[in-house]
Amino acid sequence: VQLAVEREAKRLNLYCDPECTELKAAAAKLYGVRPEQVLPVNGSDEILYFSFLAFGDEGRLFAFPDISYGFYPVYAAFCRIPKREIPLSPDLSVDYRDYLDLDATILLANPNAPTGTCLPVAQIERIVCANPNRFVMIDEAYIDFGGESCVPLIARYDNLLVFQTFSKSRSLAGARLGFGIGSEALIRDLNTVKYSMNPYNVNRMTQAAGVAAIEDDAYYRANARMIIQTREQTARRLRNLGFTVLPSKANFLFAGSDRIGGEAFYRELKARGVLVRHFTKERIQDFCRITIGTNEQMEILLTHTEAILNGKGC
């Protein structure tokens, strides 16, 4: 990836390819679709924004979980689109039955953030089938950490849009690259939005990095498997310390303990130089999201966690 970026850095006097031709071809080959079904974007947040503009208005609301990616309600408010936030189940999972026969555009992060829980493809397909006249959008930012992608469903359903990012499993967060996959008609609609705003939304260095990352897909898949292994080891040890840890298919864990509140746990770890994320929503305020790092980093987290629970100082 670095060499590909360095080569393109010498050509910054030239505009980038607005069609992202090579990048689309590489992604299409990897996912078994046609290039016309792929839309590269400046991070998956951009295709999310495009989708709110293309598929929502004051009379067409968006439905998504009440606990999920924080930008969903932000974009709804910014675009003045009504929203319906559907509560998660008592176990903090998404119940697919809540999304059947909705008069709304459906938006689901799968795996969900910040909980990490994941719906199987069969349940996603039930949602798509039950809403034939509405768009269903699946945000698969974390799908490579153990989930099953819905991309194969696109061959059978024109109302499904799947989007992914290079920020997580491909370690290119700073490059700002994502892509959407859907029917050719759906991608044409999203391209109309793109070309009305910024035809050159993916710069030439990022396009080159994306192609190189796809060509080295085996490396990134292997790295994701290592993260999964570390995640499961960490989850097991946290449970042994008395934590409730949700089943995760992401590169993080969502964990809480009745021995210490979520905010207190977050602050105690921060005082020791270990950063996790705490959320203040009432239903999840006793949990923290723990990103999976190296084995050594997770060992530091666990050592400090045990010390905190035992009342030892920094």
Side-chain angles (χ1 to χ4, degrees):
V1 171
Q2 182 177 348
L3 291 175
V5 171
E6 289 175 352
R7 284 195 298 269
E8 290 303 315
K10 300 175 182 178
R11 306 173 64 195
L12 292 182
N13 60 311
L14 303 174
Y15 278 97
C16 57
D17 174 16
E19 293 286 339
C20 303
T21 305
E22 292 185 21
L23 181 56
K24 285 197 297 187
K29 182 179 179 180
L30 179 65
Y31 288 96
V33 297
R34 296 182 296 278
E36 296 78 16
Q37 293 179 284
V38 180
L39 174 61
V41 286
N42 191 308
S44 57
D45 285 338
E46 185 174 58
I47 198 164
L48 181 63
Y49 181 44
F50 288 172
S51 298
F52 271 89
L53 292 175
F55 309 130
D57 56 36
E58 294 180 356
R60 292 183 296 174
L61 62 82
F62 271 60
F64 44 81
D66 65 334
I67 298 171
S68 192
Y69 184 40
F71 254 129
Y72 298 163
V74 170
Y75 279 135
F78 183 76
C79 297
R80 299 182 180 180
I81 294 172
K83 67 181 187 302
R84 178 182 173 188
E85 296 185 76
I86 298 176
L88 294 181
S89 298
D91 63 355
L92 298 180
S93 66
V94 174
D95 188 336
Y96 80 95
R97 292 168 295 188
D98 292 335
Y99 296 86
L100 303 181
D101 302 310
L102 287 185
D103 187 21
T105 298
I106 296 168
L107 175 56
L108 291 172
N110 196 55
N112 194 26
T115 60
T117 61
C118 190
L119 292 176
V121 169
Q123 292 183 4
I124 297 291
E125 186 169 13
R126 289 283 303 276
I127 294 172
V128 176
C129 288
N131 297 278
N133 299 315
R134 290 292 188 175
F135 289 110
V136 177
M137 300 186 297
I138 306 298
D139 181 350
E140 293 188 342
Y142 300 98
I143 199 66
D144 292 332
F145 299 104
E148 183 182 1
S149 176
C150 293
V151 168
L153 296 180
I154 289 168
R156 301 198 294 275
Y157 302 101
D158 292 338
N159 62 323
L160 174 64
L161 174 67
V162 178
F163 44 96
Q164 295 190 8
T165 179
F166 283 67
S167 297
K168 314 301 181 185
S169 64
R170 294 181 178 91
S171 304
L172 290 175
R176 307 311 305 139
L177 180 61
F179 57 92
I181 302 178
S183 69
E184 291 184 32
L186 193 156
I187 295 300
R188 278 198 303 270
D189 288 343
L190 292 170
N191 263 315
T192 298
V193 177
K194 167 193 166 178
Y195 284 108
S196 299
M197 298 174 64
N198 181 15
Y200 303 102
N201 63 327
V202 181
N203 69 70
R204 64 167 51 249
M205 290 188 295
T206 294
Q207 290 185 39
V211 171
I214 290 173
E215 290 175 348
D216 206 7
D217 187 61
Y219 164 79
Y220 293 105
R221 298 287 179 185
N223 190 56
R225 288 194 293 270
M226 291 174 57
I227 293 171
I228 292 169
Q229 185 178 35
T230 302
R231 180 191 70 205
E232 295 309 302
Q233 292 172 350
T234 304
R236 198 159 46 243
R237 292 181 63 183
L238 284 170
R239 291 188 181 107
N240 288 340
L241 291 172
F243 278 79
T244 296
V245 184
L246 299 191
S248 175
K249 296 295 185 182
N251 66 338
F252 55 80
L253 294 169
F254 206 52
S257 172
D258 57 10
R259 296 175 62 185
I260 186 170
E263 183 176 3
F265 183 48
Y266 157 75
R267 293 190 180 279
E268 289 285 350
L269 285 174
K270 185 177 181 181
R272 291 163 167 79
V274 179
L275 297 180
V276 297
R277 189 169 182 186
H278 177 251
F279 299 83
T280 58
K281 280 191 173 183
E282 183 177 356
R283 290 186 67 197
I284 57 173
Q285 63 184 359
D286 289 332
F287 285 78
C288 286
R289 193 186 77 177
I290 302 170
T291 299
I292 302 302
T294 64
N295 287 327
E296 293 76 14
Q297 289 170 333
M298 304 318 294
E299 189 64 40
I300 291 171
L301 165 85
L302 291 162
T303 298
H304 284 301
T305 297
E306 189 168 4
I308 291 167
L309 293 178
N310 290 332
K312 297 179 181 179
C314 297

